[in-house]
Amino acid sequence: MSNTLAEFKNLVGTKFEMYNSLFTSLPFHKVEKTGILLSLFLLHCEEGFRNNQSPAEIIDSFFRQYTNYVSSKEQIDLLFRFIQYSERQVVLFDALEDAAFSATHDMDGSGTLKQLQTEVVQANSQLQLAEKLKDFSVRLVLTAHPNQFYPSAVLGIIHDLGKALQKDDTVLVNTYLQQLGKTPFFKKEKPTPYDEAVNLIWFLENVFYHSAGHILSFLKSEFQDAVTEENQLIRMGFWPGGDRDGNPFVKADTTLKVAEALRQSIIKCYYMEVRLLKGRLTFQGVDTLLASLEDRLYKNLFIPGYNAYLSKDEISATLIEIRDILIAKHNSLFLNKVNNLLDKVNLFGLFFASLDVRQDSSVHKELVELVSEKTSVLPKNYKNLSEESKIQLLQNIDSLVVDTDLDKDTFDTILSIRTIQRFNGPEGCHRYIISHTTSALNVMEVYGLCLMAGWKKEELKVDFVPLFETIGDLRNAAKVMTILYQNEAYREHLKRRKNAQTIMLGFSDGTKDGGYLMANWSIYKAKEELTRISKEYGIEVVFFDGRGGPPARGGGKTHQFYASMGKNIANKEIQLTIQGQTISSNFGTRASARFNMEQLMHSGISNALFSLRSSTMSSPEEELLQELAEESYQAFNILKNNPDFLEYLNFASPLRYYAEANIGSRPSKRKAGKLNLNDLRAVPYVGAWSQLKQNIPGYYGVGIAFEKLEAEGKWGDIKNLYNHSLYFRTLMGNCEMAMSKCFFPLTSYLSKHPKYGVLWNLFYEEFERTKKYIFQLTGKSELMADRETDQLSIRMRQRIELPLITIQQYALTMIREKGVKASNSPEVKVFEKLVMRCSFGIINAERNSA
């Protein structure tokens, strides 16, 4: 047993059992019975599934054997108490993992900046490092994709509970557990986009502000000559309030309000730190400067309209003056504290995190066509012109007076970017992401709308970021960018934007479209081709990866993907979205945030400095992966085109209840109407498979592809690819993670269903097939056998959530049995509430999906 695993068992496993006993004193109704009965229920579930019982059979037999509850009301009441109890167990487990993070992870080991320091010195690569750090950065973009159910109050309790657990303060732990007992875990109303922004700003203030500052200070102390003020090595991005793709509740005033909240939040962080500095820097000549800075920050925070009198440069200049006085007159006393604050000011400015605007390309297309109908700015026959002609018109268009008939909010949003830049600085909001980009025209439509809104070409400080996501769009991406690079107006715009082009490559819709292997491989190939053509046109391409929490949405061990990129893929920056439970699981504490940011930085830097050309796959290896992806794609296409595919998911999972769960501000579908795969958002799609414990998007088609190529005598080649390619191993490792979260006994009762039994058996066969081949590849007899700590964490979480998934499936069965006619009856409404309440705990328990 490794030291890490031993520490995990001691600090998380043993302590969970110990503190879990404190739940018997929680202020719940009949709580003394709930804890005992839940323990019995867990054992009963495990035995029942071993005996191939259905969830309904397990729950019915439990009530008969262990309770004297006869009425439906008494039984439902106990199930709700089980849910309430289990939710708090998940919180306790989260807090214990957070508290133990530094002990269960080697904070100076593999993939850390401490290791990078050793590698650089040993290889005498200081000059190469300095060259790499001139323009390298890691950009973490926080999104409001709703796959975590903790309200902000509960997040705060987890944070405080973790600190108490670190100190083994049993009295305080007990107090916080009682607080949890009184704190609601569900939201009566949907959060607004502003609510979502406030929730994520909590992480910026309490975690990223401190962790990023720590990393910058370390880099400057260890690589003083390599780190310059000109390049910020860590950048934060932000989507809540700017992401309006499919979210009708995000308006221009929302974007402005969130930008102001970000500005106020970072000023508050500076203000608090300056107040702490005042207690140390009590020296003549320094104290008055610090008092003056504190006063200006205070007025910005508490006096309305004062923001015009503060700038990032003003704060920096004051701190530099203080630094110079400390060096000249006060023996550099507490200089490190001033430098640390100065680093943060340079990093976060007055914007904290750069607010991205995102909208679907169809919205811009409809608006431009409306402009041609309603105004004289574009010809009336615009809609019937060729793409080339449309682009020519849009790049030379005049501004117009906008009225409400022309979707005034879109123009107001474009103008709000300029307002935010004026108050928060140019980095405050400068990227416009265009979802579902299928052509160069989609990008030039936004360019034209900016000109219509009154921007002058020479003053247009906006980066247009096309988002390619479906398999077809990824394959077409290079063609789209070639047309843009050849366009004279767009090239001139890129020159004014430092000759750099950011391209976003999304994963979630790719998985829905092409399955796990093809989605990953299509992104890899698109990056290769986009790197090649960008170099050809002298453009510095930067890839922005839209990756979610679970592997099925592009998550998993993300830093390994960056470490595995070949030399033929641009890696000037690492940019990725941090979504849902990934924020709290990977960046929820200062220790975990620092560790995971360092892992990303190390992967990007070491890949450039030390990786051999072997990280770039050979042509035969690429051809083999292409074959595997094609076979997998064919298998997934057959599945997704099955008319019962989505109906099965809707029938067996809580998919239809996502929209009612009040988890996020935006609808679960892009458009109203009949359920279809294109309009269904990735979060409810992947989340429903996850709650069903089948995780189809994370592996389906992989086993079929392996079987096909093995039959062609290519298994030896596949084995060699696995042994030699970090990229392929990372793909398979994340596939293993998705499969390790599966639990088919939960739904085995569907195997004999007259309509859906065929699909259930198809999924189960593919799961077993993929598992068999993964075992042949790894030489192991267990999934994730080489990641013992993660494996144990998943198993412990699965035990906590087993009662929840059993209750949820039972409730879904009851709803189906009552039938459509009873859908509005009070009895059915109670079962629907059971389904949704179980969802909260199940998804929170899946926290370690990344």
Side-chain angles (χ1 to χ4, degrees), residues 80-259:
F80 273 116
R81 295 208 308 271
F82 282 171
I83 294 167
Q84 193 179 27
Y85 198 102
S86 298
E87 284 175 332
R88 273 87 182 159
Q89 285 182 316
V90 173
V91 170
L92 174 61
F93 197 85
D94 284 350
L96 281 165
E97 281 202 324
D98 286 348
F101 190 91
S102 296
T104 57
H105 294 76
D106 188 348
M107 302 298 285
D108 293 325
S110 177
T112 64
L113 293 180
K114 191 71 177 173
Q115 188 202 37
L116 178 67
Q117 176 201 30
T118 304
E119 290 171 332
V120 168
V121 172
Q122 287 178 348
N124 200 24
S125 302
Q126 288 86 344
L127 292 176
Q128 293 93 318
L129 177 69
E131 188 62 30
K132 176 66 181 172
L133 294 187
K134 278 182 182 176
D135 57 8
F136 174 77
S137 67
V138 169
R139 187 185 192 114
L140 304 177
V141 182
L142 307 183
T143 81
H145 287 67
N147 50 354
Q148 177 173 275
F149 287 85
Y150 288 140
S152 55
V154 175
L155 284 172
I157 297 170
I158 293 174
H159 182 263
D160 295 339
L161 183 57
K163 286 185 173 180
L165 288 164
Q166 275 182 323
K167 297 174 183 175
D168 275 327
D169 189 335
T170 308
V171 174
L172 200 53
V173 169
N174 189 40
T175 304
Y176 290 144
L177 290 177
Q178 290 191 50
Q179 183 186 1
L180 278 175
K182 294 288 189 181
T183 304
F185 272 50
F186 58 94
K187 299 166 184 173
K188 292 180 180 177
E189 297 178 351
K190 273 185 176 293
T192 66
Y194 183 74
D195 293 334
E196 291 171 331
V198 170
N199 283 346
L200 288 189
I201 286 172
W202 184 94
F203 285 99
L204 286 173
E205 285 183 12
N206 290 283
V207 179
F208 289 102
Y209 178 78
H210 302 278
S211 298
H214 180 96
I215 288 173
L216 282 178
S217 294
F218 176 84
L219 284 168
K220 283 196 166 184
S221 66
E222 300 301 327
F223 308 113
Q224 192 170 2
D225 297 332
V227 180
T228 63
E229 300 290 344
E230 288 71 40
N231 179 44
Q232 292 306 326
L233 295 167
I234 301 171
R235 303 166 194 263
M236 297 303 301
F238 208 74
W239 274 20
D243 179 12
R244 59 240 313 125
D245 177 11
N247 192 339
F249 307 111
V250 178
K251 302 293 185 184
D253 62 336
T254 314
T255 305
L256 289 168
K257 191 177 175 185
V258 170

Side-chain angles (χ1 to χ4, degrees), residues 364-366 368-370 372 377-398 439-449 451-452 483-484 487 489:
H364 311 127
K365 177 178 181 290
E366 290 171 12
V368 171
E369 289 175 356
L370 193 62
S372 77
V377 171
L378 287 169
K380 300 298 179 191
N381 68 336
Y382 171 86
K383 193 172 180 178
N384 300 318
L385 296 175
S386 66
E387 178 176 328
E388 189 177 346
S389 299
K390 288 177 180 177
I391 289 173
Q392 283 299 318
L393 288 165
L394 289 167
Q395 68 191 36
N396 295 304
I397 202 164
D398 295 325
S439 66
L441 177 61
N442 293 152
V443 176
M444 295 306 293
E445 282 166 339
V446 183
Y447 179 85
L449 288 169
L451 299 182
M452 289 184 221
I483 294 170
L484 284 171
N487 180 276

Side-chain angles (χ1 to χ4, degrees), residues 274 288-298 315 318-319:
V274 165
T288 52
L289 286 170
L290 209 53
S292 174
L293 178 57
E294 180 195 16
D295 181 60
R296 278 173 285 163
L297 292 169
Y298 175 88
I315 300 171
T318 303
L319 290 172

Side-chain angles (χ1 to χ4, degrees), residues 333-500:
L333 202 56
F334 302 120
L335 182 64
N336 62 320
K337 292 184 180 295
V338 175
N339 282 334
N340 185 261
L341 178 55
L342 188 56
D343 288 340
K344 290 170 184 168
V345 173
N346 287 330
L347 172 61
F348 297 117
L350 290 181
F351 62 93
F352 215 159
S354 185
L355 186 59
D356 289 345
V357 173
R358 182 172 79 131
Q359 182 57 285
D360 191 272
S361 61
S362 61
V363 173
H364 311 127
K365 177 178 181 290
E366 290 171 12
L367 178 54
V368 171
E369 289 175 356
L370 193 62
V371 167
S372 77
E373 288 175 28
K374 302 266 186 180
T375 75
S376 58
V377 171
L378 287 169
K380 300 298 179 191
N381 68 336
Y382 171 86
K383 193 172 180 178
N384 300 318
L385 296 175
S386 66
E387 178 176 328
E388 189 177 346
S389 299
K390 288 177 180 177
I391 289 173
Q392 283 299 318
L393 288 165
L394 289 167
Q395 68 191 36
N396 295 304
I397 202 164
D398 295 325
S399 62
L400 52 77
V401 176
V402 180
D403 59 32
T404 51
D405 290 342
L406 292 174
D407 183 7
K408 190 171 184 297
D409 187 71
T410 297
F411 287 108
D412 284 346
T413 297
I414 291 168
L415 291 173
S416 72
I417 295 174
R418 186 153 49 185
T419 303
I420 294 167
Q421 289 185 358
R422 188 164 73 249
F423 289 109
N424 292 21
E427 290 180 275
C429 184
H430 64 93
R431 307 203 305 183
Y432 198 117
I433 297 162
I434 303 150
S435 298
H436 291 104
T437 298
T438 60
S439 66
L441 177 61
N442 293 152
V443 176
M444 295 306 293
E445 282 166 339
V446 183
Y447 179 85
L449 288 169
C450 286
L451 299 182
M452 289 184 221
W455 282 87
K456 301 297 181 188
K457 288 183 182 180
E458 316 73 55
E459 299 168 359
L460 185 51
K461 296 177 181 176
V462 178
D463 297 310
F464 302 105
V465 182
L467 167 53
F468 303 104
E469 204 155 9
T470 66
I471 305 304
D473 290 348
L474 287 164
R475 288 173 174 172
N476 191 47
K479 181 182 174 184
V480 170
M481 296 313 300
T482 300
I483 294 170
L484 284 171
Y485 291 158
Q486 289 175 345
N487 180 276
E488 189 176 339
Y490 193 74
R491 277 302 298 274
E492 286 300 313
H493 176 70
L494 285 182
K495 282 180 185 175
R496 290 189 288 270
R497 302 301 295 161
K498 299 181 179 178
N499 238 22

